Amino acid sequence: MRILVPGGAGFIGSHTCLALLEKGYEITVIDSYINSHKKSLQRVLDIVKRNNRVKNISIDIEIADIRDEKAVEKLFIRYKDLGNPIKAVIHFAGRKSVQESVLDPLLYWDVNVNGSINLLRVMDKYNCRTIVFSSSATIYGFSNSLPLKENSEIKPINPYGRTKVAIEQILNDTYNNQTDKWKIANLRYFNPIGAHSSGIIGESPIGIPNNIFPYITQVAAGILDQLSIFGQDWPTLDGTCVRDYIHVMDLAEGHIAALEYLNNFEKKLVNLNLGTGLGTSVLELIDTFEKVNNVKISKNFAGRRIGDSCKVVADNCLALSCLNWSPKRDLEKMCLDGWKWQILNPRGYD
Ligand code: UD1
């Protein structure tokens, strides 16, 4: 079964491509490489070849933006003509920085929303109506009671989050049309961290990371001087913010579980939280990282970061019950695997 993976060269995309290939799916990736690295998919292939002792495995890669309708259509035509049509899409393509979205909201609406509309239009034209969409817990905003359920209030507080909500709404309207039968899973990610246990693929942020985990690994490696902890006066046990960190391979496997779940239906729309359901504070994350890896993280306390929530933790019961999936890798494993990736690749893919 051939799957199209827009944005498949990025952090979560590349780990999902690996999981797909290991389960025997054929994949085609379309990626602009604007915020990802050419080497990631080559390394995915290296891992699959090594683990499965296979030689002739490949990923068809198209370097293009999903707003480019002709480029997307070309892929659907190619596989239709080969008698191996694209059967489903796992859609990661889009911009993902909250800060950048505030500075350039039009870019975010154009790439994320127009890109998705373009993709859906081409899918519809070629009778491919199964899509797993990369949404985010950021859509819940911060006025909710915890843990966050799929029916908690949707109240994004930045342009990035609003584009994710808009795409979910477009998918909802697409699903509700009377003529065609769509199968749609909106996966709301919590905080993906870690890396594949081989240390061969991982997160490779361009420039100084905004997210805490790559920041920690770069401080531990001596690339960055010190981690600033944003706030020590939050109403939590130790005063630092709480998040639901999930191993990127558990998240990747969640995508395949969602795809296989959709295949049980003629028509389906489902929103699912992909998190562990466990809250970890910033200090707990740092402590665990230091302990399991036997390293020291130089740190200081800074003021709260604008737009941060105190606690963001998933209620993942729906995903657990629907998908026959559960996160298997604990915080220690996330820290071990993320550090292995950092040590083996001090400058990421560069
Ligand atoms: C951020 C985004 C979210 C996105 C997610 C992707 C914001 C407001 N939210 O979530 O939309 O889906 O990344 O993973 O940007 N922290 C520090 N020092 C740092 C960096 C972070 O103390 O240098 C703290 C933050 O205050 C937060 C926690 O670490 O409490 C996690 O931060 P981060 O990794 O940026 O993720 P989120 O803010 O949860």
Side-chain angles (χ1 to χ4, degrees), residues 98 136 138 191 210-212 228-230 241 243 305 308:
V98 171
S136 169
T138 202
N191 288 60
N210 291 316
N211 294 123
I212 193 162
S228 291
I229 299 174
F230 298 141
C241 292
R243 294 290 181 275
R305 180 172 69 178
D308 260 345

Side-chain angles (χ1 to χ4, degrees), residues 18 21-22 39-54 57 59 198 200-201:
L18 173 58
L21 290 172
E22 295 214 307
K39 286 184 191 158
S40 65
L41 293 173
Q42 185 49 52
R43 299 226 189 150
V44 164
L45 282 176
D46 293 344
I47 298 171
V48 179
K49 284 179 190 166
R50 195 190 65 179
N51 288 356
N52 302 283
R53 298 202 183 86
V54 286
I57 191 153
I59 304 174
S198 63
I200 293 172
I201 58 169

Side-chain angles (χ1 to χ4, degrees), residues 137-183:
T138 202
I139 67 171
Y140 295 117
F142 45 50
S143 61
N144 285 289
S145 62
L146 291 175
L148 292 158
K149 293 182 192 302
E150 285 78 359
N151 60 5
S152 292
E153 190 185 10
I154 303 296
K155 210 175 173 187
I157 57 157
N158 53 59
Y160 163 69
R162 284 189 278 276
T163 65
K164 290 289 178 189
V165 173
I167 301 162
E168 284 203 10
Q169 287 170 340
I170 290 165
L171 286 166
N172 205 51
D173 287 344
T174 303
Y175 172 77
N176 283 324
N177 85 79
Q178 296 301 308
T179 44
D180 300 311
K181 295 185 172 63
W182 282 79
K183 302 180 206 181

